[in-house]
Amino acid sequence: MGEGEPAPAPAADIKIFISGNSGSKEITNSQHRITMILKSLGISLQQVDISAPGTEEQRDIMRAGAKKKEGQRYALPPQIFNGEKYCGDYDDFDVANEDDELEEFLCIPRKTPKAVPINPEDEKKQEDAEKLPATEGAPTDAPATEAPVAEAPPAEEAPIDETVAA
């Protein structure tokens, strides 16, 4: 590692509690999607299969720290933790991903800066300016002295010969 090279980032302690033999297609798809998204973003993770033999202690940790949905006896996988801190379930993960708040959700530093939203007032002014014709709204690239010249005579003055039209 040279002087100009940044120090490698410490490995994230993101744990995804999964079930390797779930009979639910929804759980299986959710687990796969979380893993796929995190890997595509280069976020290191550790999968903990709570259905494997000898992982009863990990299952109990997941159940104690995770939230269960209404009507469920226990919290079901996938559940996401950063170290010992509970982050959320698949629904929470999906919302954070769609809102570009995944790093905040996982409590890890952002790799890229978040896009700065436009001030709503500025956005409205910009939309209003775009709706106005060029002569009334914001200045255009062309000088204001140039105006379009109409060369065709008005429709009233042009004689219409109805016998020619067939």
Side-chain angles (χ1 to χ4, degrees):
M1 182 166 78
E3 284 184 33
E5 296 178 22
D13 202 12
I14 305 298
K15 284 185 183 177
I16 314 297
F17 288 89
I18 64 167
S19 175
N21 63 0
S22 174
S24 167
K25 192 83 165 161
E26 181 182 356
I27 289 175
T28 304
N29 289 342
S30 299
Q31 293 172 165
H32 178 69
R33 185 160 191 260
I34 290 172
T35 304
M36 180 184 67
I37 290 171
L38 293 179
K39 285 183 178 180
S40 73
L41 294 173
I43 298 172
S44 62
L45 61 110
Q46 174 189 2
Q47 289 186 339
V48 179
D49 185 355
I50 61 167
S51 64
T55 59
E56 292 81 13
E57 185 178 327
Q58 291 292 323
R59 183 189 64 221
D60 293 341
I61 289 171
M62 182 202 80
R63 287 181 177 172
K67 67 177 180 182
K68 62 180 182 176
K69 292 183 180 176
E70 192 174 318
Q72 291 179 340
R73 201 161 101 187
Y74 300 111
L76 298 176
Q79 298 291 334
I80 306 162
F81 285 76
N82 184 343
E84 302 298 317
K85 184 183 181 306
Y86 177 65
C87 297
D89 61 5
Y90 173 75
D91 293 334
D92 299 329
F93 174 87
D94 193 42
V95 168
N97 185 46
E98 292 298 320
D99 292 345
D100 191 25
E101 296 177 350
L102 198 53
E103 288 89 348
E104 290 85 350
F105 169 76
L106 296 171
C107 301
I108 59 174
R110 289 189 73 87
K111 290 185 176 185
T112 57
K114 192 170 185 177
V116 178
I118 297 176
N119 184 347
E121 292 176 10
D122 293 342
E123 190 174 329
K124 183 170 176 15
K125 288 178 187 175
Q126 184 179 5
E127 288 174 5
D128 291 344
E130 290 172 359
K131 290 178 185 176
L132 292 174
T135 57
E136 297 176 19
T140 61
D141 293 339
T145 57
E146 294 179 22
V149 178
E151 294 181 15
E156 300 171 5
E157 296 176 14
I160 300 175
D161 188 5
E162 295 180 12
T163 57
V164 177

